[in-house]
Amino acid sequence: MSSFAQKLKYYVEKSGQTIYSVAVTSGVERTMVHKMIKGDRIPSNKDIVLAIARTLLLSPSDTDELITAYEISLRGESAYHQLQYVQKLLLNCAKPSLFKIDSTPPKISSENIQSILSQQELIPQIITERPQINQLVRTLLELELQKPNGHVYLIAQPDYQYLYELLASLTCFAPGAKVDNIICFDQANDDDDCYNLRCLEKLMPTLLSCPAFEAHCYYDHVDSLFNEWSLLPCMLLTSEYALCFSADAGQALFFDSPEINKFMKQFFHKKMICTSPICHSLTTSFSNYLEKVIMSGKATDLAPQIYTILYQPCLTPFIDEDIIGRHLKMEYFSEDMLRRIATHFAVVKRTIINSCFTQEGLELFLNTGRITEIPDMFYKPLDVESRRRVLKNMLRAVDTGFLVPRIINTAKLNLPAALNVEALSPTRIILYLRLENDTTFSLTLNEPSLLHAFYGFMEYIQNSRLVYSQTETLNILHDLEKTYL
């Protein structure tokens, strides 16, 4: 019997009602209710579950439990856990602590580094204490990342928290440095179906702070490769030194032999051939972002339907040429740039946009004329008449089916204002973060299991408890229409 069937049976019995009375009051057929309680049928949509919950006089918390059980039974426990983890990742990835990293450069001298390294009595040196290994890891990274063309080769899992926190803080100070990281993604782990998502979450601070950091993955059973019985499966290589260490960073071998260093780099490059990029990140100014992302010509790859999640609705497709001429600061845009932007949005308008956004974000635009996806320096806030025209164009797109809106219930999903997520196709998903100083961070996912999990979430949220229903959303939009038009 499914978890939904068990929950439903419990609540029906607790209410004291018969299956017949539940069916009559809820409007659900008696045979359907009976089959749901036996576990032979799962409701086709959430509205049926909500109708039964109202009939049983369930509290909000009991209703949430019943709907959760329904979603688990409908999607499977593993898929449901992944949806919940994507939600958690999106909420956490825009936290200021991730991209406001301490900008004080490390004070390192060559004498200090050599002093630390000279503490090792023999080379190769066996190290069996984690604090010493952590100190050596920091020293090696600082030494390499001071060099204009420093290159760190890394085979390690993001579970080594100290290493990745260190990378996130140190790589800010060596723009010419490069870090290549090979990570094992799990093929199938019944005990942890969110392992690959958790790896991405732990990599986010480093991806945000260091554009030169590149993460590559291959597939295997993580537990079988990285455990207490594995002999030093992790590796950190610099131009001069090599460190092999255990999965828990509790044991290590340290080398300064050029021959061993060369041998290990050959091993690294052979392994690299079998990997693929997890994602591509780009941190740049907004104007460069327009050039590299918006006007790259890739809009032609859009699927018939695209999905977006953002604080403020994507308003640019509803801004006409007259509004652009009056409010855009033309000194920042060439004629060619404007023409390619127009081409991009002409392609977008041939797709159906399933968009989740907040009421607060839309009201911010209607009250101030500010469009949060465009930095203030590039335009003048829209006047009242222009705001009304944009809202009219947006509502017209809803009526024609070009825009399928869902307003986010911020009590259930407190979406960061700096975050935009776009699923342009099942294989093209991009996360955008608007940072300070006219900087945009974009993360394009490449790895199949991450793409599958994120695209599943983008589809799931449209009819989830995290957003208001289609009817509720349209009522809110029409109320705003009455207020502002």
Side-chain angles (χ1 to χ4, degrees), residues 286-288 290-291 294-295 324 327-339 341 374-380:
F286 181 77
S287 54
N288 287 336
L290 279 176
E291 182 68 32
I294 292 295
M295 299 185 298
I324 291 175
H327 294 278
L328 209 60
K329 295 182 180 179
M330 294 301 181
E331 60 267 29
Y332 292 104
F333 301 89
S334 66
E335 289 186 10
D336 179 62
M337 188 180 293
L338 291 172
R339 184 166 55 252
I341 291 173
I374 304 176
D376 293 343
M377 64 180 292
F378 292 104
Y379 73 102
K380 296 178 290 186

Side-chain angles (χ1 to χ4, degrees), residues 54-345:
R54 287 191 294 268
T55 298
L56 299 175
L57 305 178
L58 297 186
S59 66
S61 61
D62 287 342
T63 300
D64 280 346
E65 284 192 12
L66 186 62
I67 292 176
T68 297
Y70 160 68
E71 290 177 343
I72 291 174
S73 298
L74 181 67
R75 302 174 184 278
E77 195 163 349
S78 176
Y80 180 77
H81 288 162
Q82 289 185 10
L83 293 173
Q84 299 303 301
Y85 206 95
V86 171
Q87 178 183 334
K88 172 179 176 287
L89 194 154
L90 292 178
L91 293 178
N92 291 337
C93 74
K95 285 185 176 179
S97 60
L98 292 186
F99 50 82
K100 291 184 178 178
I101 297 169
D102 182 13
S103 59
T104 305
K107 296 180 179 179
I108 317 164
S109 66
S110 58
E111 292 80 7
N112 183 37
I113 292 169
Q114 294 304 323
S115 173
I116 295 173
L117 295 179
S118 65
Q119 294 174 14
Q120 316 304 325
E121 298 176 357
L122 298 173
I123 300 296
Q125 172 68 37
I126 300 172
I127 311 170
T128 58
E129 295 185 14
R130 182 176 297 178
Q132 290 182 353
I133 294 172
N134 285 344
Q135 182 187 35
L136 187 55
V137 165
R138 181 182 183 97
T139 301
L140 293 175
L141 287 176
E142 289 177 347
L143 174 63
E144 189 68 17
L145 296 177
Q146 285 184 111
K147 300 175 182 178
N149 297 307
H151 199 156
V152 174
Y153 303 88
L154 185 62
I155 297 177
Q157 298 299 103
D159 302 310
Y160 186 4
Q161 184 176 353
Y162 176 81
L163 170 61
Y164 287 88
E165 288 180 352
L166 193 58
L167 280 170
S169 62
L170 292 181
T171 50
C172 300
F173 315 121
K178 183 176 176 60
V179 181
D180 279 314
N181 185 188
I182 294 178
I183 298 170
C184 179
F185 265 23
D186 215 14
Q187 281 183 324
N189 189 334
D190 296 333
D191 297 326
D192 187 359
D193 41 31
C194 296
Y195 182 83
N196 297 348
L197 287 167
R198 193 168 72 247
C199 284
L200 177 63
E201 180 183 37
K202 292 179 178 181
L203 290 173
M204 284 297 288
T206 304
L207 292 166
L208 277 164
S209 64
C210 179
F213 176 83
E214 293 186 8
H216 312 262
C217 71
Y218 66 98
Y219 301 93
D220 210 319
H221 297 282
V222 173
D223 288 343
S224 65
L225 295 180
F226 298 88
N227 58 59
E228 59 182 318
W229 301 104
S230 302
L231 180 62
L232 309 182
C234 303
M235 177 190 301
L236 191 160
L237 303 176
T238 68
S239 56
E240 300 175 71
Y241 303 104
L243 182 71
C244 297
F245 54 96
S246 59
D248 64 355
Q251 296 176 316
L253 279 176
F254 174 62
F255 304 89
D256 71 346
S257 163
E259 291 78 12
I260 292 177
N261 190 285
K262 180 180 178 180
F263 172 78
M264 290 187 175
K265 283 179 182 174
Q266 290 173 344
F267 173 80
F268 183 93
H269 290 306
K270 286 181 181 179
K271 202 172 185 70
M272 187 75 138
I273 295 172
C274 302
T275 70
S276 57
I278 293 173
C279 56
H280 290 296
S281 61
L282 174 68
T283 302
T284 183
S285 67
F286 181 77
S287 54
N288 287 336
Y289 156 76
L290 279 176
E291 182 68 32
K292 294 180 181 180
V293 179
I294 292 295
M295 299 185 298
S296 63
K298 292 182 180 179
T300 54
D301 299 334
L302 297 182
Q305 293 195 62
I306 64 176
Y307 297 89
T308 66
I309 302 175
L310 54 177
Y311 176 75
Q312 189 180 77
C314 182
L315 299 168
T316 45
F318 312 114
I319 298 176
D320 55 41
E321 291 184 8
D322 177 63
I323 296 175
I324 291 175
R326 288 190 291 116
H327 294 278
L328 209 60
K329 295 182 180 179
M330 294 301 181
E331 60 267 29
Y332 292 104
F333 301 89
S334 66
E335 289 186 10
D336 179 62
M337 188 180 293
L338 291 172
R339 184 166 55 252
R340 286 194 283 165
I341 291 173
T343 301
H344 173 87
F345 287 111

Side-chain angles (χ1 to χ4, degrees), residues 90 289 308-312 314 372-373 415-422 430-434 441:
L90 292 178
Y289 156 76
T308 66
I309 302 175
L310 54 177
Y311 176 75
Q312 189 180 77
C314 182
T372 56
E373 61 186 309
L415 189 73
L419 176 67
N420 290 358
V421 187
E422 294 182 356
I430 308 175
L431 282 68
Y432 302 102
L433 280 175
R434 296 183 304 280
F441 171 78

